[in-house]
Structures are given as C-alpha cells and as structure tokens.
Amino acid sequence: MTTIALFGAGGKMGYRLSTNFRGSPYTIRHVEISEAGKERLKTGLGIDTLSVDEALAGAEVVILAVPDTHIGKVAAGIESKLAAGTMVIVLDAAAPFAGHLPKRLDLTYFVTHPCHPPIFNDETDMAAKKDFFGGVKAKQHFVSALMQGPEEDYAKGEKIAQIIWAPVMRSHRVTVEQMALLEPGLSETVCASLLVVMKEALDEVVARGVDRQAALDFLLGHMNVLGAVIFGETKGVFSDACNKAIEFGKPVLMRDDWKRVFEPEEIAASIQRIT
C-alpha cells in the first residue's frame, strides 16, 4: 500500500484531499502546522496529524497542498528528507513553472489541477449542481503533467489525482508549460478578467435604471444560450443583429494585441507575480 505524506492537510485544499482520501487504497499521513487546521481535521474527520519527520519516514509520495507562495519554502525545507524516487505532487503549475522546486533529478515531479465542473453538464442532483468547485458531488475533468521522472510514474500520479479530484470524468495529459497557458493564461488572465468586465457591465445597466434581478436573469440566460452556440454545445447561428453587435463590440472591448497574454514572457511574468 503506497504511503502518502499530505502537507497542508487541514487547509482549504488539503481538507478536501483529506476527505477524498478516506477509504482510498493509500496510507495517508497528515501534516498541518496551524492549530486551526489541526482542529479542523480532528473535529471534522477524526484525523490526527504527524510531525514532518514522522510523515516522511518511508513515504513514497508527498503532496504539497499549500499555497503557491509557500511551495518553494516547504519543498526546500523537506528536500534533504526525501529519498531518491519519491514522487512530489503539486496541485498547480505556478510554482513548478517558476522553478521553485528543488533541483533533484532523482525525484519525480507530478503536477495536477482540476478543470472544475463544466457549465454544460448532466448533473441532476441539486447538491451536485451547487458544487461549483468540484471534488465533492459534481463530476469534473482534470489535467496532469509529469514534469520529471520515469514515464511509468505518470500512471501512478494519475491514479492519485483521480482520487484527489473525484468524482471525475476525463483526465487530460499536458505539459507544465501547457498547464501554465491554461492557468493563469486562459482561465484567469482571460476568462476571469472578462467575467469581471461582465459583472461591471451588469452594474452599469443597473445604475442606468434596469432592475438588478431583471438584468441578472437576462445576462445569465444569455450567457447560457450564447455560450452553448459559441462552444458547439448546440447547433445554432446568431442573428444578423447579434453578429453586427459582436463585430462592433469586440474591438471596443478588446485591444488588437490581446493574445499577447499567451506569450511565454507574459505567462512567466504573470506566474512570477503570484509566486
């Protein structure tokens, strides 16, 4: 039975992992430094934590469920305690991409991240519909990368990831560089920014006299049908009026060179700011 040392086990992400690992075919050793996190694990899941040395002794896998800004410090602090061949799993590409993992070629580095439950889904249970983050009730896809290590370790890491993000649907293999394009590039720099603009647009029409609930219902409904057509979830075409509005609106809202956010130097700068 594979032994996993889970760092940050009582934190926001770590607690999710601690919950999902219950009943799994793995021996989990939980590490948590904060008293609040320790209490959360004890009262919520009946789990006692171990010291770093106790958790790492003989552990074959180490999961760093800690914030991006702490990955480098935590990894450096345990580097000398990791035996050759140990798999280190990180839950975001930022720190690995930025070079914050120890320069140890005898370690396996596996990076995995959730796609989160898709907008267009087949969930019928209300609890699953309300599980917007995923990893509890709603099914989701996930991406993974074998940053370094023997090829056979990818399957080992993917099996662990399937438990981390359960319930899951598709598993996608990408590189760390491609994962960085997906986040922060696609999901945060582009998607989150445009969604914030949409929220500001909602506030603007409300300020101009439209009832807020009416505006919200109108916007969310149109996001659903427009998104379904644009992303091919349903067959359909936009009206001439809609197409003309897009033709006018896009250059007003977007700079001509907006795709530069995906250039390597821009991705690197973005990751540097968050790590």
Side-chain angles (χ1 to χ4, degrees), residues 113-192:
H113 196 76
C115 295
H116 304 299
I119 292 175
F120 306 114
N121 59 68
D122 61 356
E123 302 292 357
T124 57
D125 178 68
M126 187 53 66
K129 284 180 174 292
K130 293 293 185 179
D131 180 16
F132 301 114
F133 187 92
V136 180
K137 295 290 186 179
K139 300 185 291 295
Q140 64 178 335
H141 314 296
F142 67 94
V143 296
S144 302
L146 181 63
M147 183 175 181
Q148 69 175 46
E151 175 59 27
E152 57 266 26
D153 274 359
Y154 181 82
K156 177 180 177 180
E158 185 182 40
K159 287 182 179 179
I160 295 172
Q162 287 172 338
I163 293 175
I164 289 175
W165 310 126
V168 301
M169 293 181 283
R170 287 189 291 271
S171 167
H172 301 282
R173 183 170 184 174
V174 297
T175 66
V176 171
E177 291 74 20
Q178 289 170 339
M179 200 180 294
L181 285 171
L182 295 174
E183 186 167 303
L186 181 62
S187 63
E188 296 174 343
T189 305
V190 176
C191 183

Side-chain angles (χ1 to χ4, degrees), residues 68-85:
D68 291 331
T69 52
H70 296 169
I71 292 287
K73 182 178 180 180
V74 173
I78 64 174
E79 177 187 359
S80 63
K81 305 176 189 295
L82 301 179

Side-chain angles (χ1 to χ4, degrees), residues 1 7 15 21 26 32 83 95 110 138 155 159-160 166 182 193 195 201 204 218 220 227-228 235 237 247 263 266-267:
M1 185 176 290
F7 281 69
Y15 189 85
F21 273 124
Y26 298 101
E32 175 58 52
F110 186 87
K159 287 182 179 179
I160 295 172
L182 295 174
S193 297
L195 286 172
E204 181 63 20
F218 203 83
L220 294 181
K235 292 182 179 180
V237 294
E247 183 181 354
E263 293 299 327
E266 292 288 343
I267 293 292

Side-chain angles (χ1 to χ4, degrees), residues 28-265:
I28 309 299
R29 297 174 180 171
H30 303 79
V31 180
E32 175 58 52
I33 62 172
S34 76
E35 292 303 319
K38 291 178 181 179
E39 181 61 25
R40 189 179 302 116
L41 286 169
K42 184 64 176 179
T43 59
L45 301 176
I47 291 173
D48 292 312
T49 59
L50 299 175
S51 69
V52 171
D53 288 343
E54 290 173 324
L56 291 178
E60 300 158 82
V61 177
V62 175
I63 300 178
L64 301 180
V66 299
D68 291 331
T69 52
H70 296 169
I71 292 287
K73 182 178 180 180
V74 173
I78 64 174
E79 177 187 359
S80 63
K81 305 176 189 295
L82 301 179
T86 301
M87 173 180 285
V88 178
I89 296 180
V90 183
L91 307 179
D92 190 282
F97 183 91
H100 294 323
L101 295 180
K103 302 298 189 271
R104 285 272 307 271
L105 295 179
D106 60 340
L107 299 177
T108 291
Y109 290 152
F110 186 87
V111 188
T112 184
H113 196 76
C115 295
H116 304 299
I119 292 175
F120 306 114
N121 59 68
D122 61 356
E123 302 292 357
T124 57
D125 178 68
M126 187 53 66
K129 284 180 174 292
K130 293 293 185 179
D131 180 16
F132 301 114
F133 187 92
V136 180
K137 295 290 186 179
K139 300 185 291 295
Q140 64 178 335
H141 314 296
F142 67 94
V143 296
S144 302
L146 181 63
M147 183 175 181
Q148 69 175 46
E151 175 59 27
E152 57 266 26
D153 274 359
Y154 181 82
K156 177 180 177 180
E158 185 182 40
K159 287 182 179 179
I160 295 172
Q162 287 172 338
I163 293 175
I164 289 175
W165 310 126
V168 301
M169 293 181 283
R170 287 189 291 271
S171 167
H172 301 282
R173 183 170 184 174
V174 297
T175 66
V176 171
E177 291 74 20
Q178 289 170 339
M179 200 180 294
L181 285 171
L182 295 174
E183 186 167 303
L186 181 62
S187 63
E188 296 174 343
T189 305
V190 176
C191 183
S193 297
L194 293 179
L195 286 172
V196 168
V197 170
M198 292 172 67
K199 168 59 167 55
E200 292 176 356
L202 171 71
D203 294 339
E204 181 63 20
V205 299
V206 170
R208 291 172 181 266
V210 180
D211 175 77
R212 182 175 185 81
Q213 191 61 58
L216 182 61
D217 290 345
F218 203 83
L219 175 62
L220 294 181
H222 277 74
M223 286 174 63
N224 187 47
V225 66
L226 294 173
V229 173
I230 290 171
F231 290 103
E233 288 293 322
T234 187
K235 292 182 179 180
V237 294
F238 294 154
S239 66
D240 289 343
C242 182
N243 285 326
K244 286 185 179 297
I246 295 171
E247 183 181 354
F248 169 80
K250 187 176 176 181
V252 171
L253 296 171
M254 305 292 292
R255 293 173 46 148
D256 291 340
D257 65 343
W258 70 268
K259 291 182 181 178
R260 66 185 173 84
V261 300
F262 293 111
E263 293 299 327
E265 61 271 19

